[in-house]
Amino acid sequence: MAYAFTFWTCYVLKREYEIVASMRLHFLASEQRHPDQFTVLVKNVPPDPDESVSELVEHFFLVNHPEHYLSHQVVYNANKLSELVNEKKKFQNWLDYYQNKYERNPSKRPLLKTGFLGLWGESVDAVDFYTAKNERLSRDISLEREKITSNPKSIMAAAFVSFKTRWGAAVCAQTQQCRNPTIWLTEWAPEPRDVYWENLSIPFVFLTIRRLIVAVAFFFLTFFFVIPIAIVQSLANIESIEKALPFLKPIIEVKVIKSFIQGFLPGIALKIFLLFLPTILMIMSKFEGFISLSALERRSASRYYFFQFINVFLGSIITGTAFQQLNNFIHQSTNEIPKTIGASIPMKATFFITYIMVDGWAGVAAEILRLKPLIIYHLKNFFLVKTEKDREEAMDPGTIGFNTGEPQIQLYFLLGLVYAIVTPILLPFVIVFFALAYVVFRHQIINVYNQEYESAAAYWPDVHLRIIVALIVSQLLLMGLLSTKEAASSTPLLITLPILTIWFHRFCKGRYEPAFVRNPLQEAMMKDTLERAREPNLNLKGFLQNAYIHPVFKSADGDKIDVAMEEWEEEPSLIATKRTSKRSTPLSSKHSVSSFSSPEDNKERSKP
């Protein structure tokens, strides 16, 4: 049965990978024109004493991509300006509220106390108060804009570079730009609505340090979180509660209460502990410096799955039935760990059945009812909503929350694969969950949630990898279980399964994953050719002009662009650099420099 489940799972995974890859390529081929198809994000632009970042980027791409370079937009550190703009929006909202209030009752000017939360302090005219605040913030915003655009230190060593064709962008995004692989790093630009602007201002050199700090913090969060779970899981049974609190014994022995404690208390306690975890993991991902919302959610989803694997799956198995052996488990040799876990797996089947019912079935029911968002909306509407804008924000359903929903669903994949052979009675509960989840989430995605960005199924390789990991874990734990039984002699027959599974994953990774990380040049050229035939007079520069401008540089109406962006309006042309060449070049090329010159010579290139 282990071989049967493994081969069936691999067959379905390969078939699904093939289908998803084909759908992705078909979608990209039929997709309408978007700025990210023509744009590349360039990071770690090397400093130059003679030229600004903008001039350096323009010269580099005019020389190295002369036929395809179109324009660029440097990245500004506008985080402080963004805070001021958000603060002004908040005060403007209050001003609108008090102006509406005054219009409804012109005989009485609305008053406001200037103390903490408006509870005490001097009473002032609310309209005049917020008008003055808005005027002050408008002046501060103008000064900050001017400071950013005039201070070279506000420009980061990064830029969005746009090309005349998809083919040119694909070549640039998927190739090494310089003999030094640590500078002029290129990658596909996220689509404009997917950009997480706050992290674009983080210097590239700090990203490694930030990720090391987050890795250490996540390690401690994961492995120390098992302590409260261990306590709850070990106490969530009749004997432990009666031993710790003997005076509750008459109440606990009541049949209804006893059934509740044995059946539902462990699952509910675990759910409460996991309530704030997604927010913590998202904060960690933002601190790491990812530049797109999709990358933030992808990293958070990976960590959420790993956390659940350690604390929900392994933690529940180890600390629930073998808590008294936990000290031995920590100090035992590595090859004994699968045996300890394998022996505990069958005894925890009842707990996971109730967990699937409490967390899975009830979670799907809560998803379709949306009681929590409904309650939150009414609380906001009663206490916080002041204007129509507030009401619209309170009614916003948000996005589906990939960073929590997908790892949670994959936990049930793990449970199904682990218990399919050991305790098959768990499978109907998993199947019912997936049937309900398919119907409910399909409805929610189509009719309820907003789409924050378009990833074109870029998450599928992560989904595939986690199912492969679940399959290997199920095989290892089955070997551990058999090694504790009389069938220990049959354990070596299962050693081949993890090897075959890893080989299958490597095959899928090499065969299908390139479709999810690279854009085929053939597809890019086909789209460019079709577009030139259909729209020969397309003004691509006008289409891309405002796509990757930081939102805070746009005017209040969102249409007019700040004067700091004027560099987009000029046609790129080969111009003389500000450097003085240290050697004379007898013959200059029109579009490139000598490929045999040293990095210092390239840095000091003269007019092409």
Side-chain angles (χ1 to χ4, degrees):
M1 291 306 298
Y3 274 87
F5 269 100
T6 297
F7 289 154
W8 174 251
T9 304
C10 290
Y11 166 73
V12 174
L13 275 178
K14 178 183 178 299
R15 181 166 158 269
E16 198 68 20
Y17 217 143
E18 207 169 57
I19 293 172
V20 174
S22 175
M23 291 173 62
R24 171 181 166 84
L25 291 175
H26 177 74
F27 172 79
L28 293 176
S30 61
E31 191 181 22
Q32 294 181 348
R33 184 170 54 250
H34 288 290
D36 52 288
Q37 298 171 351
F38 300 88
T39 307
V40 169
L41 176 61
V42 183
K43 297 188 292 186
N44 215 23
V45 177
D48 191 284
D50 299 315
E51 290 190 330
S52 67
V53 172
S54 180
E55 292 170 333
L56 192 60
V57 168
E58 183 177 20
H59 292 155
F60 181 86
F61 283 95
L62 281 172
V63 169
N64 295 287
H65 299 267
E67 302 296 333
H68 300 280
Y69 169 73
L70 179 64
S71 55
H72 73 279
Q73 173 57 59
V74 294
V75 174
Y76 290 91
N77 184 354
N79 288 349
K80 184 177 179 182
L81 178 59
S82 181
E83 292 176 3
L84 292 173
V85 170
N86 291 333
E87 189 177 2
K88 184 184 177 184
K89 288 180 180 178
K90 182 178 68 175
F91 286 137
Q92 183 62 46
N93 200 37
W94 277 107
L95 178 59
D96 294 340
Y97 167 70
Y98 282 112
Q99 284 178 337
N100 294 337
K101 189 175 181 180
Y102 176 64
E103 288 174 1
R104 288 194 296 267
N105 186 13
S107 61
K108 183 179 180 182
R109 298 280 292 186
L111 299 178
L112 170 73
K113 293 184 178 180
T114 57
F116 179 72
L117 295 177
L119 299 176
W120 58 73
E122 180 185 359
S123 293
V124 297
D125 186 289
V127 175
D128 294 341
F129 177 78
Y130 282 110
T131 300
K133 274 189 171 293
N134 278 341
E135 290 175 353
R136 177 182 59 80
L137 280 172
S138 295
R139 291 193 297 270
D140 292 344
I141 288 172
S142 298
L143 291 173
E144 184 64 22
R145 282 191 184 188
E146 185 178 350
K147 178 182 175 182
I148 290 174
T149 55
S150 60
N151 186 3
K153 293 183 178 179
S154 297
I155 301 177
M156 309 307 298
F160 290 102
V161 179
S162 294
F163 294 82
K164 298 175 183 177
T165 62
R166 296 174 181 83
W167 189 90
V171 169
C172 180
Q174 297 164 180
T175 55
Q176 183 174 317
Q177 304 302 309
C178 179
R179 67 173 61 185
N180 182 351
T182 64
I183 60 175
W184 295 107
L185 304 178
T186 56
E187 61 183 74
W188 281 108
E191 60 173 327
R193 58 179 176 170
D194 191 23
V195 178
Y196 187 69
W197 295 97
E198 286 80 355
N199 281 353
L200 285 175
S201 61
I202 300 175
F204 183 80
V205 69
F206 293 149
L207 293 180
T208 304
I209 300 173
R210 283 171 171 253
R211 288 175 187 177
L212 177 62
I213 293 172
V214 170
V216 174
F218 179 68
F219 173 83
F220 284 101
L221 174 67
T222 301
F223 290 95
F224 280 89
F225 199 86
V226 76
I227 296 175
I229 288 182
I231 295 172
V232 171
Q233 295 285 16
S234 62
L235 290 178
N237 61 73
I238 302 299
E239 294 78 11
S240 299
I241 294 177
E242 289 180 350
K243 186 177 179 181
L245 304 170
F247 62 89
L248 293 178
K249 185 175 181 178
I251 302 175
I252 292 174
E253 291 299 328
V254 176
K255 188 175 181 180
V256 176
I257 298 177
K258 187 175 182 179
S259 300
F260 175 79
I261 292 174
Q262 290 178 328
F264 292 96
L265 184 60
I268 293 174
L270 191 58
K271 190 67 176 176
I272 293 173
F273 272 107
L274 296 174
L275 197 60
F276 300 102
L277 179 64
T279 303
I280 297 172
L281 296 180
M282 183 57 74
I283 292 173
M284 285 184 170
S285 298
K286 290 178 179 178
F287 181 79
E288 278 188 280
F290 291 100
I291 59 166
S292 65
L293 300 174
S294 55
L296 290 173
E297 290 201 341
R298 189 181 306 184
R299 177 52 65 92
S300 296
S302 298
R303 290 207 171 106
Y304 193 65
Y305 179 77
F306 182 77
F307 186 94
Q308 286 198 316
F309 174 75
I310 296 295
N311 288 293
V312 177
F313 180 68
L314 293 183
S316 297
I317 289 173
I318 298 165
T319 60
T321 61
F323 184 66
Q324 65 277 9
Q325 304 173 11
L326 184 57
N327 187 54
N328 296 332
F329 176 82
I330 294 174
H331 295 92
Q332 67 190 198
S333 61
T334 307
N335 60 344
E336 293 295 320
I337 293 177
K339 295 182 180 180
T340 304
I341 300 176
S344 302
I345 284 176
M347 294 183 282
K348 289 301 292 183
T350 304
F351 164 75
F352 283 118
I353 288 174
T354 58
Y355 180 79
I356 291 170
M357 295 171 65
V358 171
D359 185 76
W361 295 6
V364 172
E367 176 64 39
I368 195 66
L369 292 174
R370 290 181 59 82
L371 289 177
K372 178 183 173 183
L374 182 65
I375 294 171
I376 291 176
Y377 163 72
H378 283 293
L379 290 175
K380 286 182 177 179
N381 193 37
F382 187 78
F383 293 105
L384 301 177
V385 170
K386 303 177 292 297
T387 63
E388 284 300 320
K389 182 181 178 182
D390 287 341
R391 184 167 285 104
E392 289 178 6
E393 292 177 355
M395 292 181 67
D396 182 17
T399 60
I400 192 168
F402 175 88
N403 58 313
T404 56
E406 186 268 342
Q408 189 71 13
I409 288 174
Q410 290 213 301
L411 177 66
Y412 299 116
F413 264 106
L414 173 66
L415 294 177
L417 290 172
V418 168
Y419 281 96
I421 303 163
V422 178
T423 314
I425 191 64
L426 185 135
L427 289 181
F429 295 90
V430 176
I431 292 172
V432 169
F433 164 77
F434 278 116
L436 294 173
Y438 171 76
V439 174
V440 169
F441 281 106
R442 186 175 185 274
H443 171 272
Q444 302 297 86
I445 291 171
I446 294 173
N447 299 314
V448 177
Y449 291 114
N450 295 326
Q451 184 178 2
E452 196 169 13
Y453 53 83
E454 175 58 67
S455 66
Y459 291 94
W460 178 253
D462 292 346
V463 175
H464 174 88
L465 175 61
R466 284 195 273 273
I467 296 176
I468 290 291
V469 170
L471 191 59
I472 294 175
V473 167
S474 69
Q475 296 160 357
L476 295 177
L477 296 185
L478 180 61
M479 285 192 284
L481 176 62
L482 290 180
S483 65
T484 64
K485 307 296 181 182
E486 296 179 1
S489 59
S490 63
T491 302
L493 297 175
L494 295 174
I495 295 178
T496 310
L497 278 181
I499 298 174
L500 290 176
T501 306
I502 293 172
W503 174 84
F504 168 76
H505 171 62
R506 291 179 62 86
F507 165 77
C508 288
K509 186 179 178 68
R511 172 64 181 84
Y512 300 113
E513 189 172 323
F516 293 83
V517 295
R518 290 192 285 271
N519 187 15
L521 295 181
Q522 183 184 26
E523 298 286 332
M525 180 61 76
M526 287 173 58
K527 289 205 71 173
D528 289 333
T529 304
L530 286 173
E531 191 171 72
R532 282 194 297 267
R534 292 172 181 171
E535 302 179 66
N537 299 320
L538 172 67
N539 180 13
L540 186 60
K541 191 176 184 69
F543 174 72
L544 297 172
Q545 182 174 356
N546 302 335
Y548 286 98
I549 292 175
H550 198 297
V552 297
F553 286 111
K554 297 182 180 181
S555 62
D557 57 8
D559 298 325
K560 211 173 174 183
I561 305 303
D562 193 90
V563 292
M565 306 298 113
E566 288 178 354
E567 61 214 47
W568 282 81
E569 299 175 4
E570 299 177 3
E571 286 293 331
S573 58
L574 294 180
I575 58 174
T577 69
K578 296 180 180 179
R579 306 182 191 87
T580 303
S581 179
K582 291 184 179 180
R583 72 172 190 173
S584 59
T585 51
L587 189 63
S588 60
S589 169
K590 182 179 180 182
H591 295 305
S592 62
V593 295
S594 172
S595 59
F596 298 99
S597 57
S598 65
E600 290 78 9
D601 296 330
N602 286 341
K603 187 178 177 183
E604 296 159 358
R605 62 186 180 274
S606 59
K607 178 179 178 180

